[in-house]
């Protein structure tokens, strides 16, 4: 119909408008009139929208950056989506007190809706690192999401590129560091170079844990992490696939997380504290060179078939 109408400017414009509205345009139009539900920044457009009657989403492009369950305070405090209790990062955060005591120091790159904050326990010292100040405003606004206001209302959020802000921190100033900096299925490549991993090694204690989120529809990031891990790390992969009940009732999402440590005993302790066969070897690729600040290419890690 669009092609047929190209001879008439009026019909062509009407056809384009109809196509846009039927491809999600009505939803975006409605959000644009709802105060605070759609926000634009230098990094793109963020939409806060309902998901059914009992959940709320934070969406950036085609990527969901957070889901919050609604209906009760207990449900609002539930870590879900990519951060479910049995995900790689969930297993690490659940065991933080066991591994590092009641005053564990935890740092997370990528704030999103603030979901990880609801793993925090009294006495722990948390810090988030976020490049976009607009995201901090969304996460701190209880009209949009309440992970921070309910679980860590005074948590520091350091705004800026995480490579730079982490490099400014004191050495060995975190026990657990989680890297989760996704944007519409792309990954900031400079956060996965060997120089970046040197910064992470400096940031965490010699007994610390590094968690890297590598879920991606188009890129197989496992070889990138495996190559970087050759520089003094041990690593394991957690591929989490929730059952249908947890997906429907709790909004748990499938995720791939890599846990890395400089101390092999710490990684073995995480494996022992997890369910049987929760972790597997991180697949490496023969001849794959680690990314560096001077050279990195996504071509060798493109997925030719979707998961």
């Amino acid at each position: 119909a669009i092609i047929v109408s190209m001879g008439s400017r009026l019909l062509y414009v009407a056809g384009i408008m109809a196509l846009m509205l039927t491809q999600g345009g009505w939803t975006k139009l409605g959000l644009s009139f709802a105060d605070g539900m759609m926000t634009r920044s230098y990094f793109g457009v963020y939409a806060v929208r309902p998901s059914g009657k009992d959940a709320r989403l934070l969406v950036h492009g085609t990527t969901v950056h957070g889901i919050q369950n609604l209906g009760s305070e207990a449900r609002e405090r539930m870590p879900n989506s990519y951060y479910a209790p049995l995900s790689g990062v969930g297993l690490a955060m659940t065991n933080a007190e066991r591994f590092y005591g009641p005053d564990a120091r935890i740092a997370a790159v990528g704030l999103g809706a603030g979901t990880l904050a609801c793993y925090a326990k009294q006495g722990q010292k948390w810090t988030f690192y976020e490049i976009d100040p607009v995201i901090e405003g969304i996460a701190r606004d209880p009209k949009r999401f309440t992970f921070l206001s309910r679980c860590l209302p005074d948590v520091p959020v350091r705004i800026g590129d995480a490579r730079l802000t982490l490099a400014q921190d004191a050495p060995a100033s975190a026990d657990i560091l989680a890297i989760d900096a996704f944007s519409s299925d792309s990954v900031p490549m400079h956060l996965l170079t060997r120089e970046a991993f040197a910064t992470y090694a400096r940031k965490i204690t010699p007994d610390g844990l590094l968690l890297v989120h590598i879920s991606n529809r188009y890129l197989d990031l496992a070889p990138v992490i495996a190559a970087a891990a050759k520089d003094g790390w041990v690593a394991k992969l957690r591929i989490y696939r929730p059952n249908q009940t947890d997906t429907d009732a709790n909004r748990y999402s499938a995720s791939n997380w890599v846990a890395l440590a400089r101390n092999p005993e710490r990684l073995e302790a995480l494996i022992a504290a997890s369910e049987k066969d929760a972790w597997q070897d991180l697949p490496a690729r023969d001849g794959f060179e680690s990314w560096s600040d001077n050279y990195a290419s996504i071509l060798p890690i493109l997925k030719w078939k979707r998961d």
Side-chain angles (χ1 to χ4, degrees), residues 61 169 199 239 305:
D169 290 350
T199 298
I239 298 176
K305 291 183 179 181

Side-chain angles (χ1 to χ4, degrees), residues 72-284:
S72 69
E73 180 176 343
R75 282 181 58 79
E76 289 184 19
R77 287 176 174 268
M78 291 174 59
N80 55 13
S81 62
Y82 307 115
Y83 321 103
L86 293 181
S87 68
V89 74
L91 292 170
M93 296 304 179
T94 300
N95 286 286
E97 184 175 20
R98 176 180 177 180
F99 294 159
Y100 303 109
D103 56 350
R105 298 165 299 171
I106 298 171
V109 174
L111 176 62
T115 312
L116 280 177
C118 285
Y119 280 111
K121 295 183 179 180
Q122 187 173 4
Q124 293 178 348
K125 299 175 179 64
W126 281 65
T127 304
F128 282 97
Y129 297 77
E130 172 56 50
I131 197 169
D132 193 346
V134 166
I135 283 290
E136 181 182 5
I138 292 172
R140 288 197 186 276
D141 182 358
K143 293 180 180 178
R144 291 183 272 192
F145 295 96
T146 60
F147 291 117
L148 292 190
S149 61
R150 290 197 182 280
C151 299
L152 278 176
D154 300 319
V155 66
V157 178
R158 298 191 60 188
I159 300 298
D161 187 289
R163 275 281 300 271
L164 301 177
T165 49
L166 286 169
Q168 296 167 4
D169 290 350
S173 55
D175 298 304
I176 297 177
L177 172 61
I179 308 296
D180 178 34
F182 289 82
S183 176
S184 296
D185 281 309
S186 65
V187 177
M189 297 170 72
H190 73 296
L191 295 182
L192 295 178
T193 64
R194 55 176 174 261
E195 292 87 353
F197 276 82
T199 298
Y200 307 150
R202 177 182 176 275
K203 171 67 179 178
I204 63 175
T205 64
D207 198 34
L209 278 171
L210 172 65
L211 282 300
V212 183
H213 189 190
I214 64 167
S215 304
N216 196 284
R217 282 180 286 184
Y218 306 110
L219 304 176
D220 177 13
L221 294 170
V224 179
I225 309 301
K230 294 178 181 178
D231 188 17
W233 299 89
V234 289
K236 290 288 184 178
L237 173 64
R238 169 60 170 162
I239 298 176
Y240 173 62
R241 299 294 181 264
N243 59 44
Q244 196 61 47
T245 299
D246 281 335
T247 298
D248 295 339
N250 300 321
R251 305 284 176 155
Y252 293 170
S253 303
S255 64
N256 296 351
W257 285 85
V258 179
L260 302 99
R262 309 290 275 185
N263 180 359
E265 292 182 1
R266 175 53 64 216
L267 195 57
E268 289 300 322
L270 177 61
I271 294 170
S274 307
E275 62 183 13
K276 184 179 180 180
D277 299 326
W279 299 90
Q280 63 186 57
D281 291 338
L282 181 63

Side-chain angles (χ1 to χ4, degrees), residues 26-66:
W26 283 116
T27 300
K28 291 185 177 180
L29 191 62
L31 290 172
S32 67
F33 285 106
D35 185 32
M37 293 300 103
M38 185 170 283
T39 309
R40 180 183 295 276
S41 80
Y42 172 83
F43 298 95
V45 178
Y46 304 99
V48 179
R49 59 180 177 83
S51 178
K53 297 180 179 180
D54 60 351
R56 184 175 294 143
L57 304 180
L58 172 61
V59 180
H60 180 204
T62 61
T63 300
V64 175
H65 277 280

